[in-house]
Amino acid sequence: MKPRVAVHKFASCSGCQLAFINMGEDLITLTELVDIVHFPEAGPLGPEDAVDIAFIEGSVTTPEDVDRLKGIREHCGYLVTMGACATSGGIQALKNNADSDAWLKSVYAKPEYVESLSTSAAISRHVAVDFELWGCPVNVRQISWVVRQLLTGVEPVDANEKVCAECKRKNTVCVLVSKGEPCMGPVTRTGCGALCPSFGTACYACYGPAEGINTEALGQRFIGLGLQPAAIAQKFHMINNAADEFDSAGKSWAAKQEVSNEHSS
């Protein structure tokens, strides 16, 4: 009997499920190794089936999500989160530092009928997670690699080095140095293959915080490029805004902007 795999969706854009599907021929190869019993984007439905590996896309935003997540954890051997939403709360976590009731009222005509938590939280805030795949979205190599590692009893290694290291390996010219663009590569983990810098564009921090980062030093470099503290705060408060390192950095630079405003008024 082949190992069983499930792919579950919570609050998200489904981009990571699409990345899963975009494995193409590799997905066919994967199905020769495992049985995919639940995958809403691709068709199979078995949300309560017991599986060896459960992949989860999306963040927890409703009370129902919490209950469903606990059930998934009980019925799987390994639980792997994939993508920014599942690993850090995603874009929707921007509401964590705002008035969530006001947000609901601005969007829905009858907000009293909407059951929503005041925060958008990573899966690990509610249940134990065995491995995290960062990215927005994740790439196909990550998915195939982690399945093979887990099925052979090998503990996956967290690739948390910086995008800058990837640029050096690819001989990509540094856009921060050569073009003066506020690139987030020095604080962002690799995984995308340094995609944006390869095309001469600054990194957007899609893959979350890397190891041993210095957010204060990077912010000061951005000041030297002419950015205001508020703009620097927004750099950190984007796709992975609720990741601990980016959350604290964004709040720190936002506070610097408030101080600057007070001095200028």
Side-chain angles (χ1 to χ4, degrees):
M1 183 176 178
K2 292 190 291 186
R4 293 154 64 86
V5 171
V7 181
H8 296 271
K9 171 182 167 60
F10 285 78
S12 66
C13 70
S14 297
C16 289
Q17 286 190 82
L18 291 176
F20 211 119
I21 294 174
N22 283 341
M23 291 174 68
E25 292 184 2
D26 287 340
L27 181 57
I28 297 175
T29 301
L30 181 63
T31 59
E32 296 174 353
L33 301 175
V34 303
D35 283 327
I36 300 178
V37 300
H38 178 70
F39 194 168
E41 196 74 23
L45 295 176
E48 298 180 359
D49 289 2
V51 296
D52 297 278
I53 304 174
F55 286 93
I56 293 185
E57 172 197 66
S59 63
V60 176
T61 59
T62 71
E64 180 185 4
D65 285 345
V66 177
D67 295 334
R68 183 160 65 95
L69 179 58
K70 291 179 179 178
I72 293 170
R73 176 71 270 189
E74 292 175 359
H75 292 94
C76 72
Y78 295 104
L79 192 152
V80 179
T81 57
M82 59 178 185
C85 296
T87 54
S88 70
I91 286 289
Q92 53 269 35
L94 287 169
K95 75 172 186 176
N96 294 0
N97 298 318
D99 186 336
S100 60
D101 289 336
W103 276 38
L104 283 175
K105 292 177 181 178
S106 68
V107 175
Y108 298 99
K110 298 288 186 179
E112 62 270 20
Y113 294 109
V114 179
E115 289 191 32
S116 177
L117 299 174
S118 60
T119 62
S120 171
I123 300 301
S124 61
R125 301 291 185 183
H126 295 277
V127 297
V129 171
D130 297 295
F131 194 72
E132 295 178 330
L133 291 174
W134 292 75
C136 186
V138 293
N139 66 54
V140 297
R141 296 189 306 275
Q142 288 176 296
I143 299 169
S144 178
W145 169 77
V146 76
V147 169
R148 291 176 180 275
Q149 294 290 301
L150 292 175
L151 292 183
T152 54
V154 177
E155 183 177 351
V157 177
D158 186 19
N160 59 359
E161 66 177 1
K162 301 173 181 67
V163 170
C164 295
E166 191 74 24
C167 284
K168 297 299 184 293
R169 284 194 291 267
K170 297 182 67 174
N171 293 319
T172 298
V173 176
C174 178
V175 296
L176 178 59
V177 174
S178 66
K179 300 174 67 175
E181 291 196 10
C183 182
M184 295 292 285
V187 297
T188 302
R189 70 174 59 207
T190 188
C192 62
L195 182 62
C196 292
S198 296
F199 287 91
T201 302
C203 170
Y204 290 93
C206 299
Y207 275 69
E211 61 179 346
I213 60 176
N214 190 332
T215 57
E216 176 65 22
L218 183 63
Q220 292 296 339
R221 181 70 179 87
F222 289 171
I223 289 289
L225 296 177
L227 271 67
Q228 294 297 311
I232 298 172
Q234 289 179 345
K235 291 286 184 182
F236 290 101
H237 282 168
M238 286 185 65
I239 297 168
N240 288 283
N241 64 86
D244 290 340
E245 297 91 334
F246 285 1
D247 179 45
S248 59
K251 289 177 179 176
S252 174
W253 283 100
K256 288 182 173 65
Q257 183 66 65
E258 293 180 0
V259 171
S260 177
N261 293 341
E262 291 175 358
H263 289 169
S264 61
S265 61

